Amino acid sequence: MKVKIAKGDIPVPVTHQPSSITSSRKKWGRRTALILAFLCTLRLLSNVERIPHKCNGPQGVSRVQELGMLDALTHTSNRSSHVLNSKKAEQLFLSIPDADSAIAASRVYAAKPHMAGTAGDLDTAKTFLAHLQEELQINSPSSDIPLYSAGSRESREATLNISSLDEPKAWIDVYYPILNSPLDHSLEILGDDGKPVWSAELEEVADETDPYAFKSANAVPTWHGISRGGQAEGKLIYAHYGRKEDYDALVEAGVDFSGKIVLTRYGGVFRGLKVKRAQELGAAAVLIYSDLRDDGTVTVENGYVPYPHGPARNPTSVQRGSVQFLSLYPGDPSTPGYPSYENSTRVEGGSKPTIPSLPISWVNAEVLLKHLEDGGDGPTVRLVNNVDEKITPIWNVMGVIPGHIKNEVVVLGAHRDAWVTGASDPISGTVSASEAIRGFGAMLKKGWRPLRTILIASWDGEEFGLIGSTEWGEDFSEWIKDHVVAYVNTDTSASGSSLKAAGSPLLAHLLRETAEQLPHPYSEERSLWDARKDTGTLFGEHINAEIAAMHVDELLAVDSIGVSPLGSGSDYTVFLQYHGVPSTDGGFTSALHDPVYHYHSIFDTQYWQELYGDPGFSRHVAIAKHIGLQVLRLSSDIILPFNTTHYSLELESYLNKVESIAATDSFDVDLSPLRESVHALQSASLELDSTKTKAERKLRKILKKLKKRHAIRRKIRGKVSKALCKLKKASFFAFWMDDMLIINSLKPSRHLIKAVQQVQAVNKRLIAFERGFISKDGIKDREWYKHLGVAPGKWLGYGATTFPGITEALTMDQNATAAAYEAGRLKDLIDNLVETIRL
């Protein structure tokens, strides 16, 4: 203890004692010898080889990965922190998503309308940003919101510098697409004198039973995003679902579409393609309505009361939505293939309709259909759809959790913009993502750090045509190619009882295994995966046979383990179809015996969600856990959980379908060379399976030995800890020595370095697999889509078409020569992929 000397006191002289100095020198000598001997022992035990940190040159990227994995495998954070292993991390994560928290979040996000580009939309962006900052413990240096204009230095650096981050970070990117908004609209039936005999009430009707719908009833008029503004007048024609085959059947029957107004019902294909085909046939405009037959058994005919007083459809409900020609390309129609900066060059893109359209309710459609029942020519109809089209800001919210391997990134995304309040679409997905973020935050607080970096995205403008994700994906194309290993998407996570799981075949097993690990939200003896078979509990005698058959076809459109292929319709599109990043998508969807989900209507509210959609929010929580587990496995598994063998086997089933089409229509196409290439890929994949098993087993074996060796070192350190403690009191040198003992004990051996290099070599080939199907030239007539293995169907929009080039050459072009050419293009890609994945 230091003694204070009072003012005026005279210090006592120190007596010279040579014998004490001699004794002290001897003690110091013994302690130094002991420390040196201890260091030598540690050196021999650890077989240390210092790793050079220079990462320049052609091997720089793999070296960064190697160092990152070595850092993770030998990482102890600091000595006072508890570091979670993978099993404990998952257990902690699964304990966090909570129904009460999910309900509270949903009530915030779905409290008011937040269409893309509006003030309400910006409010939700700020809310999501604050959530990221709180849960990931991001300290903002100032009160200013980190909001960056796309293309600016700040925006570019925010993404391009993700690989250099050591702490979590969050920001908002602002893109500037051309969007439209409704001004005024009308729909009338005209008499022989040209005067209106009937005028439609186009807006939805709500009462105070659902306070959210009542308050928002007139906030967003019923109209189509990206629709053509203007007026049209003509005779009415009914075209059923407005599928290509529906139009073609009418043309074959002699129907002339020129100058006509086409009435179609929702369903079957993406709404934009209903307008596209009518436009091609010379129609003047299109009306699209919600038909009660599509509601399964939950109808007034079966005794169910309409919403908000019962589970059946409110007959005034209207499905808003974009009519962009999604199967040509997504994103801002005015910047195809490049990002929407504020000053970007604009073009008149081909994905916008040139004729107007309006969505209408069953109440209005019923009037029009009765006029058509009389036979002969339909009534003359006039519609008006005036819109305001302009450059409009939208806001993507981004958050980063840095991993040890900083140049391998797993992305979790959900869109945030809605047509009105959107409690199911998209807020249920946003809430599930928010709960997953809470889980990640809890793990970070316990010292967890993922092996690979996690990027979280709250996309904007999805409803207008996947705009926020597409513009970002086009903006950072090279960065995505070099860094992103997988994308996990959630859109609507709760709108019914049936679980839908879709994804790349590369991730199909991951989707299923993680779902089987989780309990069913309402049945303890079943798993989440079993919810795929749930169909609802509201039955009745009357159901439309065509609808029932379409539902069965949809259930059968899965691979050999029950996962659907991905076409388009949500934010995974730019990742999978443009960049070749394996992706997943999933959530609970409405089934034939569920309360009617009022898709894109004012009735998609918090009130409906809590009463009918997901009472108790168990489904929201289940999806939060499911997407979270996928992200944890993708970001933390030593070997990426990609199943190339399943993928290569699915390719043969795709080829079988194409051969069946060719045989049915008697096309002479030799697909045997393509089949040989697929078989070669299967063989190469089996070899890769064996290699990756051996690589992981070897690495784990070395780690097990190192763990034992580390335990021995701890015992040795314990024996000299008392001596070190004494030295700490007397010497800064001892502090340094203590740190060096810890650091030296964690240096990797040559065997560990080699094992890590083998693992990284395997992962490099796994990452290359999905990218191997990307063609620079893309798919014929819609070159933005570059994946030759799967794409949204040319006349489906959402639904997937496998081997799209060959399939469409046969089914659309009826051209065997074109099919052979497409088979050759695909064969070349697969042959190159065989060489890529062979070690």
Side-chain angles (χ1 to χ4, degrees):
M1 185 176 71
K2 188 174 181 179
V3 179
K4 290 184 179 180
I5 301 175
K7 279 187 178 182
D9 288 349
I10 299 173
V12 177
V14 177
T15 306
H16 181 59
Q17 295 179 332
S19 61
S20 298
I21 293 175
T22 304
S23 176
S24 176
R25 285 174 179 170
K26 290 180 179 179
K27 289 179 181 178
W28 273 101
R30 286 195 296 269
R31 289 172 180 171
T32 302
L34 176 63
I35 291 167
L36 291 173
F38 177 64
L39 285 172
C40 290
T41 304
L42 283 181
R43 182 75 173 180
L44 291 170
L45 284 170
S46 60
N47 190 24
V48 177
E49 177 182 288
R50 185 173 297 278
I51 305 171
H53 291 272
K54 190 174 181 180
C55 297
N56 297 324
Q59 301 302 317
V61 172
S62 61
R63 197 61 169 149
V64 169
Q65 294 169 330
E66 176 188 320
L67 293 174
M69 184 168 283
L70 286 168
D71 178 46
L73 296 175
T74 60
H75 183 63
T76 58
S77 185
N78 58 64
R79 276 161 284 161
S80 62
S81 297
H82 173 65
V83 180
L84 298 169
N85 61 35
S86 295
K87 187 175 181 180
K88 288 183 178 179
E90 286 191 3
Q91 289 173 345
L92 175 58
F93 172 82
L94 293 175
S95 72
I96 299 301
D98 173 77
D100 290 339
S101 174
I103 292 171
S106 186
R107 288 175 179 174
V108 171
Y109 286 109
K112 61 183 179 181
H114 51 282
M115 188 176 73
T118 64
D121 180 34
L122 178 56
D123 287 344
T124 62
K126 293 176 180 177
T127 299
F128 197 90
L129 175 68
H131 181 64
L132 284 171
Q133 291 173 329
E134 179 183 357
E135 296 300 330
L136 305 185
Q137 296 180 290
I138 299 170
N139 295 320
S140 181
S142 70
S143 59
D144 294 336
I145 294 175
L147 191 146
Y148 310 138
S149 180
S152 67
R153 178 181 59 81
E154 294 85 359
S155 175
R156 300 290 298 167
E157 289 180 353
T159 291
L160 297 178
N161 289 341
I162 284 174
S163 296
S164 65
L165 294 177
D166 291 315
E167 300 293 335
K169 180 179 179 179
W171 70 94
I172 299 176
D173 278 324
V174 189
Y175 286 88
Y176 299 88
I178 288 183
L179 304 181
N180 65 356
S181 57
L183 294 174
D184 61 89
H185 56 190
S186 62
L187 174 63
E188 300 167 321
I189 295 177
L190 305 180
D192 294 336
D193 59 359
K195 294 182 179 180
V197 297
W198 172 78
S199 295
E201 173 53 60
L202 294 176
E203 308 310 332
E204 297 162 292
V205 180
D207 62 37
E208 293 181 349
T209 305
D210 182 340
Y212 296 92
F214 182 73
K215 184 178 180 180
S216 304
N218 298 308
V220 182
T222 56
W223 111 110
H224 283 141
I226 313 296
S227 60
R228 177 77 171 189
Q231 176 179 312
E233 183 178 315
K235 293 289 186 180
L236 189 67
I237 295 177
Y238 179 65
H240 198 41
Y241 278 113
R243 299 167 295 195
K244 187 176 185 295
E245 57 263 36
D246 294 325
Y247 282 110
D248 291 349
L250 290 171
V251 170
E252 190 174 344
V255 174
D256 181 9
F257 282 87
S258 299
K260 302 298 194 303
I261 308 294
V262 180
L263 175 65
T264 74
R265 59 197 273 201
Y266 273 113
V269 296
F270 177 62
R271 71 184 74 78
L273 298 180
K274 302 172 191 284
V275 178
K276 184 176 188 294
R277 188 56 179 156
Q279 172 183 305
E280 291 176 348
L281 294 172
V286 176
L287 298 167
I288 313 178
Y289 75 97
S290 300
D291 196 305
L292 300 184
R293 289 174 291 179
D294 294 299
D295 295 336
T297 55
V298 189
T299 60
V300 173
E301 186 181 17
N302 282 323
Y304 295 102
V305 177
Y307 186 80
H309 306 288
R313 178 177 297 279
N314 183 305
T316 73
S317 69
V318 177
Q319 182 190 136
R320 295 160 185 78
S322 174
V323 287
Q324 181 183 13
F325 301 161
L326 191 63
S327 59
L328 292 183
Y329 64 87
D332 180 0
S334 71
T335 60
Y338 59 96
S340 293
Y341 298 160
E342 193 168 12
N343 60 351
S344 288
T345 301
R346 309 287 169 167
V347 299
E348 192 62 36
S351 69
K352 289 171 57 179
T354 58
I355 61 175
S357 64
L358 280 177
I360 62 174
S361 67
W362 167 251
V363 166
N364 291 324
E366 189 175 27
V367 174
L368 298 174
L369 290 168
K370 285 181 178 177
H371 278 78
L372 288 170
E373 287 176 0
D374 297 336
D377 290 339
T380 299
V381 172
R382 180 168 63 202
L383 67 84
V384 174
N385 177 52
N386 290 326
V387 297
D388 180 23
E389 186 177 86
K390 61 184 178 182
I391 294 175
T392 307
I394 61 171
W395 303 275
N396 290 338
V397 187
M398 316 296 287
V400 180
I401 302 174
H404 293 279
I405 302 177
K406 296 184 178 183
N407 64 333
E408 289 183 358
V409 180
V410 176
V411 183
L412 169 64
H415 84 91
R416 194 187 64 258
D417 64 299
W419 285 114
V420 193
T421 60
S424 284
D425 182 14
I427 296 309
S428 62
T430 291
V431 167
S432 292
S434 296
E435 287 302 295
I437 291 166
R438 288 183 59 244
F440 299 150
M443 295 158 63
L444 286 170
K445 293 180 180 72
K446 291 290 186 179
W448 168 80
R449 185 179 181 185
L451 178 62
R452 299 175 184 89
T453 292
I454 297 171
L455 174 63
I456 299 162
S458 174
W459 306 117
D460 202 356
E462 191 270 357
E463 295 294 0
F464 279 85
L466 323 180
I467 293 179
S469 57
T470 300
E471 299 312 307
W472 184 85
E474 292 172 342
D475 198 1
F476 296 101
S477 184
E478 287 303 314
W479 185 87
I480 292 170
K481 177 183 176 182
D482 293 340
H483 294 82
V484 178
V485 301
Y487 176 73
V488 175
N489 188 68
T490 181
D491 192 321
T492 300
S493 69
S495 65
S497 64
S498 180
L499 178 70
K500 183 176 181 181
S504 162
L506 209 58
L507 299 175
H509 281 83
L510 175 68
L511 265 171
R512 178 164 180 166
E513 288 166 6
T514 49
E516 287 178 332
Q517 182 180 337
L518 297 168
H520 189 285
Y522 293 108
S523 178
E524 292 183 1
E525 67 275 9
R526 302 167 65 206
S527 73
L528 176 60
W529 185 249
D530 294 325
R532 294 177 309 114
K533 301 174 183 177
D534 292 353
T535 60
T537 58
L538 306 179
F539 296 92
E541 294 181 5
H542 305 285
I543 186 170
N544 182 267
E546 184 179 20
I547 287 297
M550 289 171 64
H551 182 68
V552 170
D553 289 342
E554 185 177 347
L555 291 176
L556 294 175
V558 295
D559 68 9
S560 57
I561 63 170
V563 174
S564 303
L566 288 172
S568 185
S570 196
D571 293 303
Y572 55 78
T573 302
V574 71
F575 290 94
L576 177 64
Q577 307 292 355
Y578 195 74
H579 292 299
V581 174
S583 305
T584 68
D585 185 48
F588 282 92
T589 62
S590 183
L592 293 178
H593 311 298
D594 279 326
V596 173
Y597 168 45
H598 298 79
Y599 182 53
H600 290 179
S601 162
I602 64 167
F603 302 112
D604 181 6
T605 65
Q606 186 69 20
Y607 182 82
W608 181 88
Q609 185 68 274
E610 293 189 36
L611 182 64
Y612 290 119
D614 185 19
F617 273 50
S618 296
R619 293 179 183 129
H620 286 72
V621 171
I623 296 302
K625 293 179 179 180
H626 191 212
I627 60 176
L629 274 185
Q630 292 174 58
V631 170
L632 288 180
R633 300 280 169 82
L634 288 164
S635 65
S636 298
D637 282 8
I638 292 174
I639 298 284
L640 284 163
F642 292 176
N643 194 320
T644 59
T645 298
H646 175 67
Y647 203 143
S648 59
L649 292 172
E650 285 300 309
L651 292 177
E652 187 154 24
S653 72
Y654 299 168
L655 184 55
N656 292 339
K657 291 177 185 177
V658 170
E659 283 195 335
S660 177
I661 293 170
T664 299
D665 294 332
S666 301
F667 287 111
D668 185 16
V669 183
D670 183 11
L671 296 174
S672 58
L674 178 57
R675 190 175 293 277
E676 289 176 5
S677 294
V678 170
H679 288 165
L681 185 63
Q682 291 169 354
S683 297
S685 179
L686 288 171
E687 293 172 11
L688 182 59
D689 284 345
S690 176
T691 301
K692 72 181 183 182
T693 300
K694 291 177 182 177
E696 183 168 8
R697 186 181 298 137
K698 181 178 179 180
L699 179 57
R700 292 191 179 280
K701 184 177 180 180
I702 292 172
L703 289 175
K704 188 176 180 180
K705 289 181 178 179
L706 288 176
K707 187 177 179 181
K708 290 181 180 179
R709 186 178 296 168
H710 188 61
I712 295 171
R713 295 191 192 107
R714 284 201 302 269
K715 290 180 181 179
I716 296 173
R717 285 201 303 270
K719 292 180 180 180
V720 296
S721 62
K722 292 181 181 180
L724 288 174
C725 286
K726 291 179 181 179
L727 285 174
K728 283 179 183 179
K729 294 178 182 178
S731 172
F732 170 79
F733 169 74
F735 280 111
W736 176 80
M737 289 297 299
D738 192 27
D739 287 337
M740 287 305 296
L741 292 176
I742 300 290
I743 293 168
N744 285 331
S745 69
L746 296 173
K747 290 177 183 177
S749 67
R750 291 185 181 89
H751 296 299
L752 177 58
I753 293 171
K754 186 176 180 180
V756 167
Q757 289 172 339
Q758 290 174 341
V759 164
Q760 288 302 125
V762 169
N763 281 337
K764 182 179 179 181
R765 284 153 179 77
L766 293 174
I767 293 168
F769 198 92
E770 192 83 64
R771 284 165 167 76
F773 293 96
I774 295 297
S775 164
K776 182 179 69 174
D777 297 329
I779 298 173
K780 177 179 174 288
D781 298 330
R782 48 199 185 114
E783 288 75 15
W784 188 94
Y785 289 97
K786 301 185 181 303
H787 200 300
L788 298 192
V790 65
K794 187 175 183 179
W795 287 105
L796 293 175
Y798 285 157
T801 294
T802 53
F803 285 0
I806 310 173
T807 300
E808 290 168 5
L810 295 172
T811 59
M812 303 293 177
D813 301 334
Q814 302 283 301
N815 189 326
T817 302
Y821 171 76
E822 292 295 337
R825 284 212 301 157
L826 183 58
K827 180 185 185 305
D828 289 343
L829 289 181
I830 292 176
D831 289 343
N832 289 335
L833 184 53
V834 170
E835 295 304 313
T836 299
I837 69 170
R838 277 194 169 134
L839 292 165

